[in-house]
Amino acid sequence: VSLASLHLQVCGKAAVFSAMDVQQAEEGQPAEKKYRGKLYVLRDDAWEDEGTGMVSMVDVEDKKHLTIRDETSGAIIHDRPVLASDAYQLQAEGDSKAIIVWEDADQCTDLALSFQDPDGAAYVFSILSGQSGESETKRLLPMPELGNLAELAGMLSLVPPSAREKLATECSAPRFLEMLRQAFHTAEDLVQDKALGLLWRIVKSIFMLSNHKLTERYLRNDVYKDIFGMLEYDEGIPADKRVAHRQML
């Protein structure tokens, strides 16, 4: 299966998957649908085949886990708790949407799960996207849009220490980052100076959260040019004196 269309990066550390408690958790649970899938992990800008097996959801200590058992040996080749719903994306391979991709920030790893049956991809994705540890009702921050940039900038400008970790997690979510970049592209295309100034404030405040994983994510190859683009619109510097970060880079 070709994964050339997936433009993801990895921080360089391979994921370590534990089989602890999974076999015990699987025993006694009601039978559910299982689909055959092939797991890939991105290492050094190349997708590496981790194996093919049956994909299932297992409840382990009150948390739902995404597990994959090797179809030949029966060994568990992937076992991780289900992440926030917006961490997963369903992507097309040819005419069918048969690939689920996601970033496991805790493991600093990007993964892709390719299904032989598109129905399997749709079924597993429907569970993953509904099993959210960070549902919209529990979010502290709104998703970035041109209409709410002032609200978002205000919320990020004064963050109590107790909320920093949660806000850092929300800001590093793939959907949040993608919508932030979309808002920037739109504001720049429409030459909306006020919106661009607010985006500068937002990104500055995000870095001021002083979260290592968050900073690392915002400086990765797939997004850093847009991030530095937002930082070009420093409200405290006259337009003709601002630094053209992207041009310098």
Side-chain angles (χ1 to χ4, degrees):
V1 176
S2 170
L3 295 175
S5 61
L6 304 180
H7 302 292
L8 298 175
Q9 301 293 323
V10 72
C11 299
K13 184 174 75 173
V16 179
F17 304 127
S18 170
M20 185 178 298
D21 296 332
V22 173
Q23 184 170 355
Q24 294 178 353
E26 288 179 327
E27 295 174 357
Q29 292 196 24
E32 60 174 293
K33 293 182 180 179
K34 294 184 179 182
Y35 290 92
R36 186 171 181 265
K38 184 183 290 289
L39 180 68
Y40 296 86
V41 175
L42 190 65
R43 297 191 182 99
D44 298 324
D45 297 326
W47 288 101
E48 296 185 6
D49 184 348
E50 292 291 293
T52 301
M54 301 307 293
V55 182
S56 63
M57 299 291 177
V58 178
D59 291 322
V60 179
E61 297 181 353
D62 298 326
K63 291 185 178 180
K64 192 170 286 293
H65 280 221
L66 172 65
T67 66
I68 306 172
R69 280 190 175 275
D70 186 271
E71 63 181 355
T72 302
S73 67
I76 295 174
I77 59 177
H78 180 79
D79 168 40
R80 289 288 293 155
V82 173
L83 307 174
S85 59
D86 57 4
Y88 302 94
Q89 300 178 47
L90 184 60
Q91 298 194 3
E93 174 68 20
D95 295 330
S96 302
K97 289 188 175 181
I99 299 175
I100 298 173
V101 297
W102 69 100
E103 176 189 353
D104 190 328
D106 289 339
Q107 297 286 337
C108 198
T109 305
D110 290 314
L111 305 103
L113 185 56
S114 176
F115 288 82
Q116 186 177 35
D117 182 359
D119 290 340
Y123 173 77
V124 173
F125 181 74
S126 69
I127 297 176
L128 294 174
S129 60
Q131 183 69 27
S132 173
E134 292 289 338
S135 66
E136 294 300 312
T137 58
K138 294 181 180 179
R139 288 187 60 87
L140 297 178
L141 298 174
M143 286 295 177
E145 297 177 350
L146 289 182
N148 66 13
L149 294 180
E151 176 189 4
L152 184 57
M155 295 178 71
L156 285 168
S157 64
L158 295 172
V159 179
S162 60
R164 286 193 172 194
E165 185 174 350
K166 179 170 177 56
L167 293 186
T169 299
E170 292 187 10
C171 290
S172 62
R175 186 177 168 216
F176 182 96
L177 185 52
E178 180 60 28
M179 291 187 69
L180 183 68
R181 296 170 65 203
Q182 289 178 3
F184 171 61
H185 294 158
T186 302
E188 199 166 49
D189 289 343
L190 299 177
V191 196
Q192 294 190 1
D193 292 336
K194 183 176 181 180
L196 292 168
L198 290 169
L199 285 163
W200 169 79
R201 276 195 239 169
I202 290 169
V203 172
K204 178 185 175 183
S205 296
I206 286 173
F207 282 118
M208 292 297 288
L209 291 174
S210 301
N211 182 281
H212 178 73
K213 288 184 179 179
L214 177 62
T215 300
E216 204 171 54
R217 179 67 189 97
Y218 274 58
L219 296 180
R220 283 169 62 179
N221 288 342
D222 57 335
V223 300
Y224 80 92
K225 288 184 180 179
D226 285 341
I227 300 303
F228 277 98
M230 296 179 217
L231 291 174
E232 292 178 6
Y233 294 93
D234 187 334
E235 295 176 313
I237 301 176
D240 61 339
K241 301 290 186 181
R242 292 172 182 167
V243 179
H245 298 303
R246 289 171 290 179
Q247 182 177 343
M248 295 179 66
L249 290 168

